[in-house]
Amino acid sequence: MNKFLLKPLAIMLSLASYSPTILLSLTSLPSFAVTSSQPQPVTLTIKNPLPSARTTGEMVELDASRLPDGFLLVTTERGDTLPCQRTYNGKVIFPCPRMEAKQTIKVKLAAFPADDASAASATKSQPKVFGRLYPERQSDFSFENDRIAFRIYGPETQRKGERLYGYDIFLKRSAALVLDHLYASQCNREMWNTVGQLRRLGHRELAEDVYQYGFCYHVDHGEGMDIYKVGQTLGAGTNALISPDGQIAYPWCFSKAEVLDDGPLRLTVRLTFATTTVAGTEVSEVRTLSIDAGSQMVRTVVEYSPTLPSGYSPMAAIAVHKENPTAYLIDKERGIIACDDLGDPDIYRKKDRAKFDPQKGHTFIGCLMPGATDCRFVSFEKETSGAVGHVIAIAPKDNTMTYYFGYAWDGNPVSGIASVKQWQEYLRMFSEQLRQPLKVNRK
């Protein structure tokens, strides 16, 4: 292991999430005072309508148009503050702690002028989401929160003719934001020059050792890794169009990425895709993806225009790989599909597999599509990119669909999910929380 590339564990854990057990009430504010010229704090009552505890973590959302401008501060009975964010679509969000069945809690929300230095300091919080284009790696757009991370292949990949349609996964070892460091290591020009020189001198095995043990992001050097195989499949939850006879019209790579929300609690990106022809119909696609701190799932809104091809329906899918071909689950009632993935078997050299394969563990991938008309497994005529088929969820034949995709890795202790059963329970509760959202009243 090349230890000089590793970060101390303390640094990796420095972005750990807020405590989920904070009790909220109507009492104290931070040490700076609210002056008479400032709006009085707003009392919010938050109720859990479920007959069970809310366990997956979620954001409280408010209509920002009903709130004063300036810095916003959410306070607890101990005087602690919860991080808060204004979003591009006119919302104010802050994390809600775990709530017991039918529980009601109250918080105070105060507003302070934009030029209030004390408020600026008090409301500033560590980012728990991150994302950007990576022109140094074929213009990928990659994004993460404190639990999960994804890669979406960019326009340079398509220009090169590589048919990579689906979402890729970066496994994370901790709550730290790691993408920039993983990409920086993988794209280190000096290290690649060294590898190239060794190859030219005929030392190919030594060159591969330098790569694998030194800076390859397919190896877990302490932060995480990319060991998921996408290939010519829809990967870990990508959307597409499907014909009545089951033929999939695969999307290519996005042509434009626009970040709409940039944290600290929510990252939202709008992806625009070039117009393509499907069954004689020109189709344009725009995806808006949002990832929140503390969640294992990504919200996706897909808009097709001007019309769908005749008979085609929007859908989302997860590739099922040959190493675990029957380890998928389907819950038609809730619109849930999921699988247990074991990672790319060919990502390491044979001589390295005994050392590195145990790192892979189990990656539990899932999609949730409210209102899905059907969920089923669709097999390939022949093995494709190591996959035997897709497990799919089909949406109504409409130009817009909303669904959620995500994963949990048993190598990340932050999620607390280490089995298919726990992952299924997470998805089930996530579905219930969508069906019966938090009730927020303002006094």
Side-chain angles (χ1 to χ4, degrees):
M1 186 70 67
N2 198 336
K3 294 185 178 180
F4 74 88
L5 289 173
L6 304 183
K7 293 182 180 179
L9 183 59
I11 294 177
M12 292 194 292
L13 296 177
S14 64
L15 298 178
S17 298
Y18 63 91
S19 169
T21 58
I22 294 174
L23 297 177
L24 305 179
S25 79
L26 295 176
T27 55
S28 56
L29 285 171
S31 57
F32 55 89
V34 180
T35 68
S36 59
S37 62
Q38 295 167 347
Q40 292 300 306
V42 175
T43 299
L44 301 175
T45 301
I46 305 167
K47 182 178 180 179
N48 173 20
L50 287 173
S52 57
R54 305 180 85 89
T55 58
T56 68
E58 58 193 316
M59 293 291 165
V60 178
E61 292 197 358
L62 308 170
D63 183 354
S65 66
R66 299 183 59 205
L67 299 172
D69 294 332
F71 296 105
L72 296 175
L73 201 67
V74 181
T75 62
T76 72
E77 66 177 357
R78 297 184 311 204
D80 297 330
T81 63
L82 293 177
C84 190
Q85 178 183 335
R86 293 182 186 268
T87 67
Y88 84 99
N89 58 345
K91 303 290 185 182
V92 168
I93 62 172
F94 60 87
C96 187
R98 175 185 169 119
M99 295 183 67
E100 300 303 325
K102 301 293 185 178
Q103 184 181 6
T104 297
I105 59 178
K106 294 180 180 180
V107 301
K108 272 189 175 181
L109 188 149
F112 299 87
D115 59 356
D116 189 320
S118 296
S121 176
T123 58
K124 187 176 181 180
S125 60
Q126 285 277 16
K128 295 180 181 177
V129 294
F130 174 78
R132 73 171 177 92
L133 278 171
Y134 284 89
E136 62 269 39
R137 221 307 306 185
Q138 299 189 182
S139 298
D140 296 342
F141 187 90
S142 292
F143 61 98
E144 63 181 317
N145 68 0
D146 49 347
R147 294 170 180 246
I148 58 177
F150 285 92
R151 181 222 309 268
I152 307 173
Y153 296 105
E156 186 60 30
T157 297
Q158 183 160 334
R159 279 194 288 270
K160 292 175 66 176
E162 296 182 57
R163 292 186 174 271
L164 294 170
Y165 313 111
Y167 296 141
D168 193 12
I169 288 172
F170 284 95
L171 303 178
K172 289 165 60 83
R173 183 66 72 180
S174 74
L177 300 178
V178 301
L179 283 177
D180 261 358
H181 186 259
L182 292 178
Y183 270 98
S185 296
Q186 178 72 14
C187 300
N188 187 311
R189 289 187 179 182
E190 291 185 5
M191 296 298 287
W192 277 113
N193 288 339
T194 299
V195 169
Q197 290 172 8
L198 289 171
R199 288 172 176 170
R200 287 191 294 273
L201 292 170
H203 303 301
R204 299 193 66 85
E205 281 299 304
L206 179 57
E208 289 303 309
D209 285 343
V210 170
Y211 175 56
Q212 294 268 15
Y213 290 91
F215 64 102
C216 171
Y217 63 16
H218 301 299
V219 175
D220 183 7
H221 296 295
E223 292 180 317
M225 58 185 170
D226 170 15
I227 50 88
Y228 182 71
K229 186 169 186 176
V230 178
Q232 295 182 32
T233 74
L234 290 170
T238 315
N239 61 282
L241 294 173
I242 188 167
S243 69
D245 61 357
Q247 296 299 308
I248 296 175
Y250 287 87
W252 265 52
C253 303
F254 66 87
S255 56
K256 179 182 177 182
E258 179 185 5
V259 174
L260 305 177
D261 290 318
D262 198 15
L265 299 175
R266 174 174 294 172
L267 181 125
T268 302
V269 59
R270 179 184 292 142
L271 302 175
T272 303
F273 292 75
T275 299
T276 57
T277 301
V278 178
T281 301
E282 288 193 346
V283 179
S284 296
E285 177 186 345
V286 176
R287 298 180 203 165
T288 305
L289 294 85
S290 295
I291 186 170
D292 289 347
S295 180
Q296 306 288 148
M297 306 295 284
V298 180
R299 184 176 189 267
T300 308
V301 178
V302 185
E303 300 172 274
Y304 293 102
S305 63
T307 59
L308 294 179
S310 178
Y312 277 75
S313 299
M315 50 88 80
I318 303 169
V320 178
H321 290 101
K322 61 182 179 181
E323 291 73 37
N324 219 2
T326 61
Y328 61 86
L329 62 89
I330 294 171
D331 182 341
K332 291 185 178 181
E333 180 184 352
R334 295 184 175 90
I336 292 173
I337 55 174
C339 78
D340 177 1
D341 196 89
L342 303 179
D344 186 350
D346 303 318
I347 204 162
Y348 305 130
R349 296 173 295 176
K350 288 184 179 180
K351 75 171 192 174
D352 292 327
R353 289 174 188 171
K355 179 179 181 64
F356 292 141
D357 276 353
Q359 296 178 341
K360 294 177 184 176
H362 293 254
T363 304
F364 310 111
I365 307 168
C367 282
L368 170 61
M369 183 179 291
T373 61
D374 190 18
C375 297
R376 64 178 185 265
F377 175 76
V378 177
S379 62
F380 295 150
E381 291 184 3
K382 62 179 181 178
E383 182 185 309
T384 302
S385 301
V388 296
H390 288 118
V391 58
I392 68 173
I394 300 177
K397 295 177 181 179
D398 193 10
N399 285 45
T400 301
M401 74 168 174
T402 300
Y403 74 99
Y404 301 79
F405 68 90
Y407 74 88
W409 179 42
D410 64 1
N412 184 343
V414 178
S415 70
I417 298 171
S419 69
V420 170
K421 183 178 180 180
Q422 289 176 319
W423 181 233
Q424 186 175 13
E425 176 59 24
Y426 181 95
L427 294 173
R428 185 196 68 78
M429 178 50 63
F430 194 92
S431 172
E432 291 304 309
Q433 291 179 187
L434 288 177
R435 291 185 185 191
Q436 297 191 59
L438 293 166
K439 295 182 178 181
V440 184
N441 293 314
R442 172 183 172 177
K443 291 185 179 180

